[in-house]
Amino acid sequence: MANKAVKVGLLGLGTVGGGVARLLMEKRAELSAYLGVDLQLARAVDLEPARAEELGLAPGVFSSDSWSILEDGDIDIVVETVGGLEPARAMVLTALNKGKGVVTANKALLASHGVEIFQTARQQGVGIAFEASVGGGIPLVRSLRDSLAANRVTSCLGILNGTCNFILSRMTAEGAPFDQVLAQAQEKGYAEADPTFDVEGTDTAHKLAIVASLVTGAQPRLDDIPTEGITKITPLDIQFAGEFGFKIKLLAVLNNQGGKVEARVHPALVPHDHLLASVEGPFNALHVNGDWVGQVLLYGQGAGRRPTASAVVGDVLELARDVAAGVPGRVPPLGTQASGGRRLDLAPLDDARCQYYCRFAALDQPGVLASVARELGSFNISIEKVTQKGRQEAGPVPIVMLTHEAREADLRGALKKIDALPEIVEPTVVIRMA
């Protein structure tokens, strides 16, 4: 083995950071032999000394001063597992400006400040790696950046949040309402005490922003990604979707067919025979279409201490290899020399075209279906399938339609008219089709 050492500084010893520390220590000999250099966990910082004691860090490794790692000239690679926007942003930028490679799993940070961070890495000639920011242990970032680089990726459909996928899977299997299954997810540790970030789609939007950056070489503004969560999905809609041959999943959608790119997050009807329909529980997947490779499915555990730590340490090995070879920053952050510092303008949601599931709550009287169909027709929206069931209890009758492909703005215009009809007593439920 070469005498050179590559020294790692770790910011944060929580769920992910603790897993990273344990993996680096337990497999130090194996990983060092793989690299041909001594890979050392030289420094680790956390505000809770008990975490360091639990991990059994060597004497002199632990500190409660985050900035001590950043000022340490011997540290080659900084691993950020603090999370959030600040002080994580300041720490990452400081590390890069001091010539240190950076590994991060912080999707919120990259989605919000990726342009600035990637620009800084390029200017300083150092590497930044972020495999664990999307899909946990799934090798998704490298696949898009490297393995599929010869392709123009024409579309991506992703199940990128395990909490939402677990909830929808259990609602489908049990016919239980959202609130009941959310409580199950919290009991099992799949959902946080405050699950808003997950169930409202924000977490998925962060990951989609990173996917879009990898596919296009430019970064969308997070606020430009239309985002809907799963809190309004009901067992009734899941039942009707199943009768039509679909499952409901929270999808990250990227269309790159030419012209402006579409990116959005929302519940969607996925056909039973689609590869994503079989992704259940807390698992993640990304379905990619490339102009030469065709269809690719990347699947695995999207979160958790061990899968995420695996991805982080894989990034450490990538940067350590470049440091040892004297070529830090060899691979641009998004893979292409044209990347970094560019913004991606997204197509407006109004211009999107797809098929729609619409559930109308109507009074039980003649002519309602004809009235609804007439308003849809006035916006050039045709109906593919329709089902109407009799009232089972006191209340409105559900009428469910699947439309042919239509423009989003046209559907919204039609629904505004339909919801104003005296026969329609509740706002129409709309779910896009994948």
Side-chain angles (χ1 to χ4, degrees):
M1 181 185 298
N3 292 326
K4 179 175 175 58
V6 174
K7 296 187 177 182
V8 177
L10 176 58
L11 298 171
L13 292 173
T15 300
V16 175
V20 170
R22 192 172 296 282
L23 181 50
L24 287 172
M25 291 188 297
E26 290 182 2
K27 291 198 169 187
R28 177 180 175 181
E30 183 179 337
L31 296 176
S32 296
Y34 171 78
L35 287 173
V37 299
D38 184 18
L39 184 66
Q40 299 178 12
L41 176 59
R43 302 289 297 278
V45 168
D46 198 273
L47 296 178
E48 298 183 25
R51 289 177 172 174
E53 295 175 9
E54 181 184 345
L55 289 166
L57 296 180
V61 171
F62 176 75
S63 171
S64 59
D65 180 7
S66 300
W67 300 98
S68 65
I69 285 182
L70 304 176
E71 298 294 337
D72 188 337
D74 291 334
I75 297 296
D76 300 294
I77 298 169
V78 171
V79 178
E80 182 272 311
T81 64
V82 175
L85 298 183
E86 291 292 355
R89 171 182 163 275
M91 291 175 176
V92 166
L93 290 174
T94 299
L96 294 172
N97 281 316
K98 288 185 175 293
K100 304 178 190 301
V102 170
V103 174
T104 180
N106 193 333
K107 52 195 172 284
L109 178 65
L110 294 178
S112 300
H113 299 290
V115 168
E116 178 186 22
I117 289 169
F118 295 154
Q119 276 184 329
T120 303
R122 293 289 299 279
Q123 290 166 359
Q124 298 301 324
V126 292
I128 180 164
F130 47 96
E131 182 66 70
S133 64
V134 186
I138 306 171
L140 188 153
V141 170
R142 282 190 188 83
S143 295
L144 291 174
R145 189 192 68 190
D146 300 329
S147 301
L148 299 176
N151 289 259
R152 182 171 70 86
V153 173
T154 56
S155 68
C156 294
L157 294 176
I159 295 172
L160 300 179
N161 185 273
T163 299
C164 289
N165 202 50
F166 173 84
I167 291 171
L168 291 174
S169 296
R170 298 315 305 163
M171 288 178 70
T172 301
E174 300 174 4
F178 171 83
D179 289 342
Q180 181 178 322
V181 178
L182 172 60
Q184 293 180 21
Q186 290 170 323
E187 289 173 7
K188 292 179 178 292
Y190 293 139
E192 302 288 344
D194 180 1
T196 304
F197 209 62
D198 294 313
V199 300
E200 294 294 353
T202 306
D203 175 78
T204 301
H206 287 156
K207 295 170 182 175
L208 179 57
I210 297 170
V211 169
S213 301
L214 291 162
V215 168
T216 68
Q219 185 161 17
R221 296 171 183 82
L222 194 58
D223 290 344
D224 289 347
I225 300 177
T227 302
E228 299 173 21
I230 64 169
T231 57
K232 296 180 182 178
I233 299 298
T234 68
L236 183 62
D237 294 311
I238 290 174
Q239 175 191 332
F240 278 121
E243 292 176 6
F244 281 123
F246 297 89
K247 287 185 178 179
I248 297 177
K249 300 288 187 181
L250 181 70
L251 290 188
V253 179
L254 181 73
N255 286 319
N256 186 30
Q257 304 294 337
K260 282 194 175 180
V261 175
E262 293 180 21
R264 57 185 188 268
V265 173
H266 52 72
L269 268 64
V270 178
H272 281 152
D273 60 356
H274 193 284
L275 291 170
L276 289 180
S278 62
V279 179
E280 300 289 357
F283 282 81
N284 283 195
L286 185 72
H287 182 268
V288 181
N289 268 304
D291 60 351
W292 278 75
V293 74
Q295 297 186 59
V296 175
L297 182 70
L298 303 165
Y299 169 85
Q301 295 188 57
R305 185 177 211 181
R306 293 174 70 88
T308 307
S310 168
V312 170
V313 174
D315 279 346
V316 170
L317 295 176
E318 179 184 11
L319 297 191
R321 187 183 293 114
D322 291 347
V323 168
V327 287
R330 176 182 58 88
V331 179
L334 299 177
T336 168
Q337 293 295 338
S339 68
R342 293 193 297 128
R343 280 293 183 186
L344 175 64
D345 291 328
L346 297 176
L349 182 60
D350 278 353
D351 292 342
R353 298 187 64 87
C354 63
Q355 294 179 260
Y356 296 88
Y357 162 104
C358 299
R359 176 169 60 82
F360 307 97
L363 296 176
D364 190 6
Q365 62 186 44
V368 176
L369 184 56
S371 297
V372 170
R374 182 174 61 251
E375 296 295 353
L376 289 171
S378 70
F379 284 83
N380 298 313
I381 299 169
S382 58
I383 300 167
E384 179 181 333
K385 295 179 181 178
V386 63
T387 183
Q388 180 176 0
K389 296 192 175 182
R391 183 175 58 214
Q392 296 178 344
E393 301 176 357
V397 174
I399 301 172
V400 179
M401 293 181 179
L402 300 185
T403 74
H404 286 287
E405 186 178 273
R407 183 170 172 265
E408 179 88 16
D410 293 334
L411 181 81
R412 293 298 171 185
L415 293 183
K416 186 175 181 180
K417 296 265 188 143
I418 291 169
D419 285 348
L421 293 172
E423 308 97 307
I424 302 298
V425 297
E426 295 175 5
T428 300
V429 173
V430 178
I431 305 175
R432 299 171 188 87
M433 295 174 63

